[in-house]
Amino acid sequence: MITSRLTLRALFSLDLLKCTVLGIAALLIATGPALAQAAGCPNIIFIFSDDHAYQAISAYGYGLNRTPNIDRIGREGMRFDRCLTTNSLCGPSRACVLTGKYSHLNGFYNNANSRFDGSQTTFPKLMHAAGYQTAMVGKWHLISDPTGFDLWDILPGQGVYYNPQMIRNGVTSKQSGYVTDLITDKSLDWLKHRDPTKPFLLMCQHKAPHRNWQPALKNLHHYDGVAFPEPPTLFDDYAGRGKGEHEQDMMIRSTLTAADLKFTPPGDLTQDQRKVWDAYYDPLNARMKELQLSGDDLTRWKYQRYMHDYLACIDSIDESVGKLLAYLKQTGLDKNTIVVYASDQGFYLGEHGWFDKRWIFEESLRTPLLVRWPGVTRPGSVNRDMVSNLDFAETFLDAAGVSVPAEMQGRSLKPVLAGKTPSTWRQSFYYHYYEHPAEHNVPRQYGVITPRYKLVHFYEPEYAYWELFDLKRDPHEMKSVFGKPAYAKVQQELQTELARLRVELKVPDQDPPETMEK
Ligand code: CA
């Protein structure tokens, strides 16, 4: 153990040396400190939101809202159209990002009873050891305290939207304000007071737009008079699919609560804030009750309310991104700072009648990813390769000139960002979700995704069925073709590939006991 630590330390010294050599070379040719750093190791700002559907980023072209600042990251860099998550859930995605490993190797399977082992190797630790200043601000949600950061200032658990408590390097205090603004201000404050002679990693992780979608009070009126277009599958009846889809509990129609729909105000508002809240929602709620809606009309109303609140939360995130980009521009840091925008997973905005995530299906499997990397990525690039949150740790280490540990399971996106995807890039991707039995009643599932097909196994004994989707013919995943003679060859190939991936990725045959509720 001591030997391996020494070896790692020696490696870090070499990594730091690489930066130092570049830094000295830069100093010799540069005229100012920003330029000196510009030729050395890049800074990284990782902006990570929670449950932000790609459909709700205007760069993706769905026409639901406008996110000019998030869009700008893609316009100045690359928009990824096929970034897939390993396990579509808050905690497991965060653990995957930190470790570059699937849940079965990083030990964080689900939000119900997993606890992150902070002693394991993470990319912030490796970057810190290589000379980076590191900070983690916002939603952490991994139960144990963060490790590997000079500063951590996090929400306890999920956190709340208004006047939240936050824990700064172990000390808890109540804050005044809106959570997205607080996370932004704390991130900017750290940037302004950091040591300007060292490169930095800032992880700015938002709570928004997580349920129950409570907007900044100043943004409540943003969508007045807007009727959001309904997705074509809002009234999906799940014909052509199995027991899991029929029995889930994540429906716009029946699962949303009075708190979700803003008939019950949150308890975290001050008296003055509560007045603003009531002045907005009370008249709308009264009008809705007068209408005495039922059936599909009531579902339509719920969808509109859900979308209003969800998108108004995203407006604050876009403002936050704008403030961070403006600071980088003002200080000249934009020239040597990689900016990444991603969410922990995708989200349903009424597709299949759902909100929430969890499934291997497109809206929750995919997550938005936009990256600007000056000097590496051609502005305005669009990429459709299968990339993943599994690749983030490797990418950041590669960018920092730090060796990527062999145990990490993803690949650096640096060549992809440079427009040169290696010919050996993955053509299939493994997915595995574990949180069942639990809220929303979505069964455990694993599967394989290829550019055209998706094969999924719902493997708990009370489910025990397979589905196969042909994304080219059935992009909304409405009808499984598993067992259809026309797909026999494809099905066989996918089953072989799935078995191969499970061996390659060291997936255990049985889910371990720690995936069960204690
Ligand atoms: Ca999430």
Side-chain angles (χ1 to χ4, degrees):
M1 187 63 198
I2 291 170
T3 317
S4 72
R5 268 198 199 136
L6 284 173
T7 312
L8 276 176
R9 196 163 293 163
L11 277 174
F12 296 147
S13 306
L14 279 177
D15 293 329
L16 194 54
L17 188 65
K18 272 188 249 166
C19 283
T20 312
V21 169
L22 285 169
I24 291 167
L27 273 171
L28 292 174
I29 56 171
T31 55
L35 278 177
Q37 201 190 45
C41 293
N43 307 303
I44 297 171
I45 298 186
F46 178 63
I47 309 169
F48 200 48
S49 52
D50 193 325
D51 295 357
H52 191 171
Y54 55 83
Q55 308 93 297
I57 290 177
S58 41
Y60 283 99
Y62 286 80
L64 287 171
N65 61 341
R66 287 196 62 250
T67 50
N69 294 301
I70 298 172
D71 292 3
R72 202 180 123 199
I73 299 172
R75 206 168 57 243
E76 296 177 357
M78 184 174 277
R79 185 190 84 206
F80 287 86
D81 283 0
R82 204 134 180 81
C83 181
L84 313 181
T85 50
T86 55
N87 179 355
S88 179
L89 201 60
C90 303
S93 175
R94 280 148 219 275
C96 174
V97 166
L98 288 168
T99 61
K101 292 177 182 175
Y102 276 86
S103 306
H104 59 273
L105 293 191
N106 66 43
F108 204 101
Y109 293 90
N110 60 47
N111 290 335
N113 58 334
S114 292
R115 178 185 178 88
F116 188 69
D117 172 7
S119 72
Q120 64 187 305
T121 301
T122 64
F123 84 85
K125 278 190 195 174
L126 296 175
M127 288 180 65
H128 190 265
Y132 272 70
Q133 294 168 90
T134 55
M136 158 67 225
V137 181
K139 183 168 172 182
W140 174 250
H141 203 220
L142 290 171
I143 317 300
S144 59
D145 286 346
T147 52
F149 299 99
D150 294 307
L151 170 85
W152 51 274
D153 198 342
I154 62 170
L155 295 162
Q158 293 279 7
V160 297
Y161 275 99
Y162 307 109
N163 314 309
Q165 293 210 317
M166 290 188 75
I167 313 170
R168 183 184 176 90
N169 285 356
V171 180
T172 305
S173 61
K174 190 169 168 66
Q175 311 290 311
S176 295
Y178 184 64
V179 70
T180 306
D181 300 337
L182 289 165
I183 291 167
T184 308
D185 292 345
K186 284 168 177 282
S187 297
L188 283 167
D189 188 62
W190 184 78
L191 284 176
K192 287 171 186 168
H193 294 97
R194 75 189 200 286
D195 175 355
T197 64
K198 289 182 179 176
F200 66 82
L201 161 72
L202 168 64
M203 300 179 78
C204 173
Q205 304 199 163
H206 290 292
K207 170 185 173 59
H210 193 279
R211 194 182 182 191
N212 338 50
W213 319 294
Q214 294 163 353
L217 299 176
K218 71 180 175 64
N219 290 344
L220 284 173
H221 287 278
H222 266 195
Y223 294 96
D224 281 357
V226 175
F228 301 104
E230 292 171 6
T233 60
L234 181 61
F235 296 100
D236 193 354
D237 63 2
Y238 315 112
R241 280 144 296 157
K243 174 182 161 83
E245 289 92 328
H246 286 268
E247 296 184 359
Q248 48 64 41
D249 181 20
M250 47 185 275
M251 301 196 66
I252 304 269
R253 188 184 71 206
S254 51
T255 311
L256 290 174
T257 65
D260 292 333
L261 293 167
K262 312 302 183 292
F263 286 91
T264 311
D268 319 295
L269 296 163
T270 64
Q271 276 188 340
D272 286 346
Q273 289 170 336
R274 175 67 190 272
K275 281 181 197 156
V276 179
W277 171 282
D278 289 345
Y280 180 75
Y281 283 110
D282 280 356
L284 294 174
N285 292 349
R287 217 173 305 151
M288 182 269 181
K289 282 179 180 160
E290 282 168 19
L291 291 172
Q292 301 201 329
L293 299 170
S294 61
D296 290 352
D297 290 339
L298 180 56
T299 302
R300 290 194 162 100
W301 184 91
K302 289 180 179 179
Y303 169 75
Q304 294 295 329
R305 170 60 59 89
Y306 164 51
M307 290 301 288
H308 168 276
D309 296 339
Y310 182 88
L311 295 175
C313 286
I314 287 167
D315 290 342
S316 289
I317 295 181
D318 195 65
E319 290 165 18
S320 169
V321 172
K323 285 181 192 168
L324 289 170
L325 292 179
Y327 177 77
L328 294 181
K329 183 92 179 159
Q330 278 162 21
T331 52
L333 285 167
D334 60 327
K335 295 175 185 64
N336 192 33
T337 300
I338 300 170
V339 181
V340 178
Y341 186 87
S343 169
D344 57 352
Q345 45 4 247
F347 213 66
Y348 294 91
L349 301 182
E351 299 88 355
H352 304 293
W354 293 340
F355 65 95
D356 212 70
K357 54 257 183 178
R358 301 163 195 271
W359 301 90
I360 195 174
F361 305 135
E362 288 294 287
E363 291 81 1
S364 44
L365 170 74
R366 270 181 63 189
T367 198
L369 176 64
L370 303 104
V371 183
R372 81 184 280 286
W373 188 344
V376 170
T377 306
R378 188 171 54 80
S381 310
V382 174
N383 180 279
R384 295 189 175 82
D385 297 316
M386 285 196 286
V387 304
S388 172
N389 59 343
L390 188 69
D391 302 323
F392 293 177
E394 296 82 343
T395 305
F396 299 150
L397 292 172
D398 193 11
V402 179
S403 307
V404 177
E407 67 198 44
M408 288 190 174
Q409 296 182 298
R411 291 179 73 170
S412 169
L413 297 174
K414 187 173 179 183
V416 180
L417 284 159
K420 293 172 185 155
T421 302
S423 59
T424 54
W425 196 257
R426 66 171 72 87
Q427 293 299 307
S428 63
F429 181 78
Y430 181 72
Y431 180 83
H432 201 147
Y433 168 80
Y434 299 85
E435 192 172 281
H436 189 259
E439 188 183 18
H440 297 307
N441 199 29
V442 175
R444 295 182 188 216
Q445 54 198 272
Y446 63 77
V448 59
I449 298 103
T450 67
R452 177 163 175 180
Y453 299 103
K454 192 177 291 183
L455 176 73
V456 52
H457 187 200
F458 299 91
Y459 60 94
E460 290 163 281
E462 67 271 35
Y463 291 87
Y465 66 96
W466 291 80
E467 288 179 343
L468 170 61
F469 295 94
D470 181 343
L471 298 175
K472 191 173 172 191
R473 290 194 174 155
D474 180 20
H476 297 301
E477 300 167 300
M478 299 294 279
K479 187 172 173 51
S480 169
V481 292
F482 188 85
K484 303 282 182 215
Y487 286 89
K489 185 163 174 287
V490 168
Q491 185 176 308
Q492 182 56 49
E493 286 167 0
L494 288 167
Q495 284 186 314
T496 303
E497 180 59 9
L498 179 58
R500 187 193 72 77
L501 283 171
R502 281 173 61 88
V503 171
E504 180 184 285
L505 297 168
K506 305 183 174 69
V507 185
D509 290 339
Q510 302 279 328
D511 290 353
E514 55 263 38
T515 66
M516 295 304 293
E517 292 274 8
K518 290 190 178 92

